Amino acid sequence: MKPGSVAIVGAAETTQLGKIPDASQIQLHADAALNAMADCGIGPKDIDGLACAAEWPTELAHYLGITPTWVDGTMVGGCSFMIHLRHAAAAINEGLCKTVLITHGESGRSWIGSKALGNNPASLAGQFEIPFGCLGPPTMFTIPVLRYMKAYGLTHEQLANVAVVQREWAGMNPRASQREPITVEDVLSSKMIAYPFHILECCLVTDGGGALIVTSADRIGDFPTKPVYVLGTGESVETPMISQMQDFTSSRAFRVAGAKAFEESGVSRDDVDHLMIYDAFAHLPIYGLEDLGFVEPGEAGDFIWERNTAPGGRLPVNTNGGGLSYMHSGMYGMYALQESVRQMRGTAPAQVLDAKVSVCHGVGGMFGASGTIVMSNEAA
Amino acid sequence: MTVNPKTLPRPTPETLHFWEGTKAGKLLLQQCSVCSHIYFPPRPFCPECASRDVGIVEASGRGVLYSYVINHRLPKWIDAPYSIAVVQLDEGPRMMTNIVDVEQTPEALVLDMPVEVVFDAVTEDITLPKFRPVSGGES
Ligand SMILES: [Zn+2]
């Protein structure tokens, strides 16, 4: 894409986050969508493009009263929304639609009106992974880490420290689910889930949603909000089987999506003021920092330990508290995007002063997919 | 470890040979006749060069422990923490498995230790390939 040709003009999360026992999944999509429309002063009749995951665009279009000329139901897990944003930018630039709504809603904790994904015992993962006692992401997403630890000497303390630093950010955010400070000791003495991962190194399970409204940069005058320009985008997928990822110390999907987004944007790593890396588990920021090229392979554990990503550090990461402490409904990517937009608007609870460039990096499945967005509050 | 009947593999036409193999005590991989690539999981063409000219080869059953977790969040039908592991086979491919006949602790499960396949007939139809430390190897 041409950097800055498209802008995010509306953004909002659901009114509530955490435990929402009085809303179904589609209503969480709608609640976020209505908040995003109110944010930028438009209604459903002004929207002609719709992207969502977990619900079909057909369901959302009908539910919200939208008549789209473009839809995208790409569903590759938690980074689907980064990829929707990338596809929306292409569609807007191609003239397929003018104003795109991207929604996410998930009743991850209360499980109201959610579609059970379930195991398909005839799929390759169903045949060659699940029968060995895999019980969801905590027992699978975590498998590569011991190999990473042996390859680079990452310590249990350094892994635990990822959760500690993110809790510091969460402490500055009134909407974060978990705000009490924690120590490395607290993490290492918390309940073991799947060695080497303790419960404080695993994401939360909550209810919520979020929505974005995107349009071409030449239409930003029609909206009252401060525009956040999309400078570059990337996407890729690797494998639905964690056992088959090429390199247990690095994600190919991360490397491909990240490189593409930086290349499109013309932004260098040194230009980045703020970074979101989808953290379903404590190792994700480590892989992300390395695979996006912010540090060399094997250096991220030290980089975080030296407080570079913490409050006051030179590269603030996961400033909302992340999936570990802010919220995690199952497909967290939308909340990472919301925090990048808040930082670019200057409205984040833990605002990074004078931040001009934010990178938002998502994972889907278990290192299965990736989407990366480079955005800025200045046109390219 | 008891197996949940809901998570038993359901073989497809493309994978049936693998599950027939484990029932007969053989670990079967596939090899491309054009580029010699040996691969897993099963499919009737080469993922490197797309040739459909592929054959079935029996693996040595030897490999090393590549990575793992020890699951502590147990379902009702399992009574003790267990390893979910990835083994790197001598022939190249990696596969998910459980490491058996050894204590399920980080001290006993050492990365890169040699392992060998054992066949666990969990039902009449399904035999899962599992791995144990090679006897006489590191102990
Ligand atoms: Zn071949």
Side-chain angles (χ1 to χ4, degrees), chain B residues 31-39 45-54:
Chain B
Q31 182 163 29
C32 176
S33 307
V34 175
C35 76
S36 301
H37 180 56
I38 297 178
Y39 64 91
F45 59 91
C46 172
E48 280 297 316
C49 75
S51 169
R52 293 175 193 258
D53 186 4
V54 296

Side-chain angles (χ1 to χ4, degrees), chain A residues 25-242:
Chain A
Q25 179 165 288
I26 195 166
Q27 182 56 31
L28 293 172
H29 280 256
D31 184 54
L34 296 172
N35 285 345
M37 286 186 245
D39 177 55
C40 62
I42 64 170
K45 306 297 176 233
D46 302 311
I47 293 166
D48 59 0
L50 177 61
C52 56
E55 300 287 337
W56 296 104
T58 320
E59 294 171 299
L60 255 292
H62 167 255
Y63 198 66
L64 287 166
I66 292 169
T67 305
T69 62
W70 174 88
V71 297
D72 181 7
T74 300
M75 169 51 178
V76 292
C79 64
S80 298
F81 319 103
M82 285 81 173
I83 295 178
H84 292 157
L85 183 50
R86 182 168 206 251
H87 296 179
I92 290 165
N93 281 332
E94 183 63 20
L96 306 185
C97 52
K98 289 190 166 70
T99 309
V100 172
L101 170 68
I102 303 170
T103 69
H104 158 73
E106 204 166 19
S107 185
R109 176 164 170 180
S110 302
W111 208 250
I112 301 165
S114 305
K115 296 180 173 74
L117 293 173
N119 174 43
N120 171 6
S123 69
L124 289 179
Q127 291 188 63
F128 299 107
E129 290 195 332
I130 303 300
F132 299 100
C134 296
L135 292 167
T139 59
M140 301 168 83
F141 211 159
T142 49
I143 285 179
V145 171
L146 284 184
R147 174 53 54 181
Y148 179 100
M149 292 172 87
K150 176 158 182 175
Y152 293 121
L154 180 83
T155 65
H156 292 281
E157 288 75 14
Q158 285 176 317
L159 186 61
N161 181 57
V162 174
V164 173
V165 169
Q166 288 193 202
R167 186 61 65 85
E168 287 185 45
W169 285 113
M172 302 161 75
N173 186 348
R175 258 164 81 88
S177 293
Q178 301 293 328
R179 303 183 61 212
E180 284 296 303
I182 51 173
T183 64
V184 167
E185 253 326 291
D186 292 335
V187 176
L188 294 178
S189 58
S190 68
K191 187 179 169 202
M192 186 66 84
I193 297 294
Y195 172 86
F197 282 80
H198 307 79
I199 195 162
L200 290 175
E201 291 158 316
C202 303
C203 66
L204 307 163
V205 181
T206 53
D207 304 323
L212 297 172
I213 292 169
V214 189
T215 192
S216 57
D218 56 19
R219 293 185 65 231
I220 56 169
D222 298 344
F223 300 87
T225 45
K226 180 173 178 175
V228 178
Y229 298 92
V230 179
L231 301 186
T233 61
E235 69 187 287
S236 193
V237 296
E238 182 176 352
T239 168
M241 301 171 77
I242 191 81

